[in-house]
Amino acid sequence: MTGVLRWAIPSARYGARLAALAAEAGVPVVPARPWPDVLPRVIAAVERSSRANAV
């Protein structure tokens, strides 16, 4: 296994686990990449979460 994969695979697994825990807790979660549109995706996720919690 190359050096990059040695840390990338566990890092991706850990990130997925944290995202799952956050989603279970009702925290909006968006993938970090691609970067150019991350802000609109975060705003949309927060708005969806706000609407879901208002009901």
Side-chain angles (χ1 to χ4, degrees):
M1 191 178 304
T2 67
V4 171
L5 288 179
R6 185 173 298 135
W7 61 264
I9 292 171
S11 178
R13 287 182 182 147
Y14 185 63
R17 177 67 181 139
L18 290 177
L21 289 171
E24 289 174 16
V27 176
V29 176
V30 296
R33 293 192 178 134
W35 289 109
D37 68 340
V38 74
L39 184 58
R41 291 185 290 122
V42 168
I43 291 169
V46 170
E47 288 173 347
R48 282 191 305 272
S49 177
S50 296
R51 284 193 300 268
N53 290 332
V55 176

